[in-house]
Amino acid sequence: MRKSQFTGRIALITGASAGIGREFAMQLAPALNTIVLVARRGDRLEALESELTSINPKLKLFSCEVDLRNRDQLEAFCDWLDESGLSIDFLINNAGLGDHGPFRESEWQRVSSMLKVNVYALTYLTFRVLPFLRRSKRGAILNVSSIASFLPVPNSAVYASTKAYVTSFSEALRAELRSSNVSVTVLCPGPISTEFLSLATRAGEIQNHMAPEWFVVPVQQVVREALEAVRKDRARVVPGAFVNFTMTIVAFIPMFIKRLVLNERARRDVTNRQSPSTV
Ligand SMILES: NC(=O)c1ccc[n+]([C@@H]2O[C@H](COP(=O)([O-])OP(=O)(O)OC[C@H]3O[C@@H](n4cnc5c(N)ncnc54)[C@H](OP(=O)(O)O)[C@@H]3O)[C@@H](O)[C@H]2O)c1
């Protein structure tokens, strides 16, 4: 990655306390002027601040404990941004959460959290930060979606739908902003080894929905490829050659065949949940 593209920029990263968001901060730290880190866990952000400072002592850091499910906190945070004088020119909408299991057995609180964080907060932040991005000479938005956005996923029905929203929203916004100085890129990773999967597993359930090892892409590679895509002003990035190839093939499969596979997958999941010892 050439650093020049990000040198001196002011970035806002949501979900910076763990996983992909944290890795974005680590890889961008040598180049950026300022990072605004957003998450709920303040202790994690504090620890990250020390690591980032040791990478780049000149880096200015703002850790903001915001629960993105909470509209008052979200609005207050955006008001603070307006007043802070920080002219964000790189927005990374990364915070997100999942849920695994049949929709009929969902906890409403989790469904609601996914809609609020994955969809509402991402859209609202984009709306509030866009004026800063438009004022800067080179604004960039990177929205973190998923390969789950490309097709319906039984037993992750709401999660996959929220990510379909993120991918569609990003592509449409990119088209709207094409004649401006603001680029929009959507990151659609496959499975990555972060806290995400265990947090998406319901209480009392066995975590048996992990993808095979060869399909998992290291978080460092995901972030490297995502930043490269922003640098090259790409619309979409699916990190990992094998994941990318697979999703390209999937795109050409007719929907009626996909439905047969999805039905079978949903049926297998039910069987696995009934007899986990056979998994
Ligand atoms: N891991 C995967 O396999 C995978 C695959 C495709 C796409 N993705 C997407 O990648 C993004 C990052 O996931 P990850 O793998 O890095 O997961 P992760 O390790 O669980 O990190 C999620 C981040 O989101 C933040 N977050 C969650 N709820 C929040 C809330 N209510 N308010 C503020 N921040 C909140 C968390 O911070 P706090 O808990 O401290 O608030 C954490 O920093 C998500 O959008 C996810 O959908 C992940």
Side-chain angles (χ1 to χ4, degrees):
M1 181 185 73
R2 267 185 277 148
K3 299 261 164 53
S4 55
Q5 169 85 8
F6 300 105
T7 302
R9 293 176 81 160
I10 302 178
L12 163 55
I13 307 174
T14 67
S17 62
I20 304 175
R22 183 182 181 283
E23 184 61 26
F24 271 120
M26 297 293 283
Q27 290 196 22
L28 285 166
L32 294 177
N33 172 295
T34 303
I35 316 182
V36 180
L37 306 161
V38 175
R40 288 167 301 179
R41 287 171 291 179
D43 54 337
R44 294 279 198 104
L45 294 180
E46 212 176 292
L48 178 61
E49 276 205 20
S50 329
E51 283 190 73
L52 298 174
T53 306
S54 65
I55 295 172
N56 177 0
K58 288 191 185 144
L59 185 63
K60 295 189 202 80
L61 292 163
F62 296 87
S63 285
C64 303
E65 283 178 46
V66 184
D67 184 342
L68 294 170
R69 294 171 300 183
N70 182 312
R71 289 192 187 182
D72 292 339
Q73 285 189 31
L74 181 58
E75 277 174 34
F77 167 68
C78 291
D79 292 344
W80 169 81
L81 263 186
D82 284 347
E83 288 155 19
S84 67
L86 290 170
S87 210
I88 304 293
D89 55 13
F90 188 12
L91 170 63
I92 304 182
N93 273 312
N94 160 75
L97 69 151
D99 181 37
H100 187 262
F103 177 68
R104 65 181 179 278
E105 293 171 16
S106 310
E107 262 179 42
W108 183 251
Q109 186 119 0
R110 177 163 281 268
V111 172
S112 164
S113 296
M114 278 190 290
L115 296 171
K116 285 174 180 165
V117 177
N118 301 4
V119 175
Y120 183 89
L122 175 141
T123 312
Y124 185 75
L125 257 179
T126 304
F127 182 73
R128 292 289 301 262
V129 172
L130 196 51
F132 294 109
L133 298 168
R134 288 176 65 84
R135 276 199 294 273
S136 83
K137 285 201 198 86
R138 42 177 192 167
I141 299 172
L142 177 61
N143 287 334
V144 181
S145 183
S146 165
I147 56 167
S149 67
F150 301 146
L151 75 173
V153 183
N155 291 322
S156 283
V158 176
Y159 174 71
S161 306
T162 65
K163 292 302 179 180
Y165 172 91
V166 175
T167 299
S168 174
F169 172 65
S170 307
E171 293 271 5
L173 189 61
R174 177 182 172 87
E176 282 185 25
L177 295 171
R178 231 36 218 143
S179 57
S180 80
N181 54 328
V182 181
S183 71
V184 182
T185 300
V186 63
L187 166 62
C188 300
I192 309 157
S193 185
T194 62
E195 294 168 14
F196 178 84
L197 203 65
S198 64
L199 291 173
T201 305
R202 295 178 183 174
E205 295 277 323
I206 295 165
Q207 193 179 306
N208 61 8
H209 46 279
M210 187 60 196
E213 192 90 343
W214 44 265
F215 206 62
V216 177
V217 179
V219 68
Q220 294 83 358
Q221 184 185 341
V222 168
V223 167
R224 239 184 351 260
E225 288 193 33
L227 293 176
E228 186 65 4
V230 174
R231 195 178 69 73
K232 292 184 171 157
D233 190 10
R234 294 238 164 94
R236 191 183 284 200
V237 53
V238 179
F242 191 69
V243 180
N244 197 332
F245 174 74
T246 306
M247 295 324 292
T248 306
I249 300 290
V250 166
F252 287 101
I253 298 175
M255 194 60 208
F256 75 92
I257 295 181
K258 283 182 193 154
R259 277 191 202 109
L260 294 175
V261 175
L262 296 175
N263 292 349
E264 174 55 21
R265 191 190 149 139
R267 197 196 54 76
R268 250 204 349 252
D269 273 8
V270 171
T271 314
N272 287 349
R273 292 171 81 245
Q274 282 162 353
S275 53
S277 56
T278 62
V279 174

